[in-house]
Amino acid sequence: MIRLRKMFKDQKVIVVCSVVLAALFIIMALAPHDPVKVNLLHKLEGPSKEYWLGTDHLGRCNLSRLLYGARISLGFATLIFLSSLSIGVVIGSIAGYLGGWVDSVLMRFCEGIMAFPNLVLVLGIVGIFGPGLMQVLFALMLVQWVYYARMCRNMVVSLKEQNFIAAARISGSSSGAIIRRHIIPNVLRPIMVIGTLEMGWAIMDISALSFLGLGIQPPTPEWGAMIHEGTGYIRSHPELMIYPGIMILVVVMAFNILGETLSDRYGIAKRQ
């Protein structure tokens, strides 16, 4: 009975978080106004029928900017996740399956990157190449794929001793074919579950870099950049910072709770 109750509770949490994220993915395409159009005649207006969440210091629709900012934050976080996942799974599978000097070289390289705090390494890369969207994407992908590679490698080390892998070797399959057909499909699901947690980190990193002026550049709306723009009006119009802050909080919490629940349900170890 306790186990059934826990399964029902887990399922309920998964459904709620999935619905919240799916709803955001749907409504982010429904911005009612141009998010970058300046209209100084309507600057710093309160909520109204035309502007449901009011306007900012340049007369731009807050709701439209929040929804358009979701495209930036969620879209690029997904791109970072998929790119890092692809690189990490391929390299981790090769290292874990081949072992020997290949495993040693690849894992030492990963450990070298992991020796630096994520944000410090990202700031260093952006500082070298300059602020901008592509630089931020490259920097975040560079620091994220190593975690997928390490997790994937550890799974493959135990997986390659299984009977079905031995049967594939005996049948004459090459190492590349075994990795492609048997190794990667078996490690992909647990890695994807861990990836839901990394989505939250990616969104916070993108927002943090934009807040510092190193990520998305104005006038493109992005939640971190919107918080930065609202700092000048923190006393008179704090909602300019509160709205994007709430969006970051809700989305990151949804990804984190979903990832934690899936990890516990399937017994998958989380990255510390």
Side-chain angles (χ1 to χ4, degrees):
M1 179 65 69
I2 296 176
R3 185 177 179 182
L4 288 175
R5 190 179 303 165
K6 186 177 185 301
M7 289 178 62
F8 176 76
K9 182 180 178 181
D10 289 348
Q11 187 69 27
K12 188 175 181 180
V13 171
I14 292 171
V15 170
V16 170
C17 292
S18 300
V19 168
V20 170
L21 294 172
L24 186 58
F25 272 100
I26 293 172
I27 66 173
M28 68 183 186
L30 304 177
H33 299 280
D34 186 344
V36 299
K37 183 179 180 180
V38 175
N39 189 348
L40 296 178
L41 295 177
H42 295 280
K43 68 177 183 178
L44 298 175
E45 288 187 355
S48 63
K49 290 183 179 180
E50 184 176 4
Y51 302 108
W52 291 4
L53 295 180
T55 59
D56 67 1
H57 60 293
L58 295 178
R60 299 171 297 192
C61 175
N62 285 328
L63 177 60
S64 298
R65 291 178 63 77
L66 287 173
L67 295 179
Y68 194 89
R71 304 182 195 181
I72 303 294
S73 297
L74 290 174
F76 288 119
T78 302
L79 177 60
I80 292 168
F81 163 62
L82 293 177
S83 302
S84 303
L85 177 71
S86 300
I87 298 170
V89 167
V90 170
I91 292 179
S93 298
I94 293 172
Y97 183 78
L98 297 181
W101 68 269
V102 174
D103 181 30
S104 297
V105 170
L106 291 176
M107 290 303 102
R108 296 301 81 75
F109 179 72
C110 291
E111 290 170 2
I113 295 178
M114 293 171 66
F116 297 92
N118 278 9
L119 193 56
V120 172
L121 187 57
V122 170
L123 288 174
I125 295 172
V126 174
I128 292 172
F129 294 102
L133 175 59
M134 298 308 298
Q135 292 87 328
V136 167
L137 294 179
F138 172 74
L140 291 176
M141 283 188 284
L142 181 62
V143 301
Q144 288 293 330
W145 73 266
V146 295
Y147 297 102
Y148 297 116
R150 290 283 296 179
M151 288 186 289
C152 183
R153 179 260 181 193
N154 294 336
M155 294 178 191
V156 172
V157 167
S158 59
L159 186 64
K160 70 178 182 180
E161 304 300 329
Q162 299 296 319
N163 291 334
F164 70 95
I165 299 295
R169 289 199 201 98
I170 294 172
S171 67
S173 298
S174 65
S175 296
I178 292 174
I179 291 173
R180 187 172 59 254
R181 297 174 186 173
H182 303 288
I183 297 293
I184 291 179
N186 279 281
V187 302
L188 203 53
R189 188 179 77 169
I191 296 294
M192 289 284 287
V193 170
I194 299 299
T196 58
L197 292 168
E198 299 300 326
M199 283 286 289
W201 283 108
I203 290 172
M204 287 197 297
D205 287 342
I206 292 171
S207 298
L209 291 169
S210 296
F211 177 82
L212 295 173
L214 300 175
I216 309 302
Q217 299 298 305
T220 303
E222 193 280 330
W223 294 335
M226 291 174 66
I227 294 177
H228 176 73
E229 290 180 352
T231 55
Y233 302 87
I234 189 172
R235 294 183 181 275
S236 58
H237 296 277
E239 69 275 7
L240 298 181
M241 298 179 65
I242 293 174
Y243 291 152
I246 290 175
M247 294 295 289
I248 294 173
L249 176 65
V250 170
V251 173
V252 172
M253 283 186 60
F255 275 118
N256 285 355
I257 293 173
L258 179 62
E260 292 280 352
T261 305
L262 290 172
S263 299
D264 293 339
R265 181 171 184 177
Y266 294 111
I268 299 171
K270 300 179 282 293
R271 172 167 73 90
Q272 301 298 323

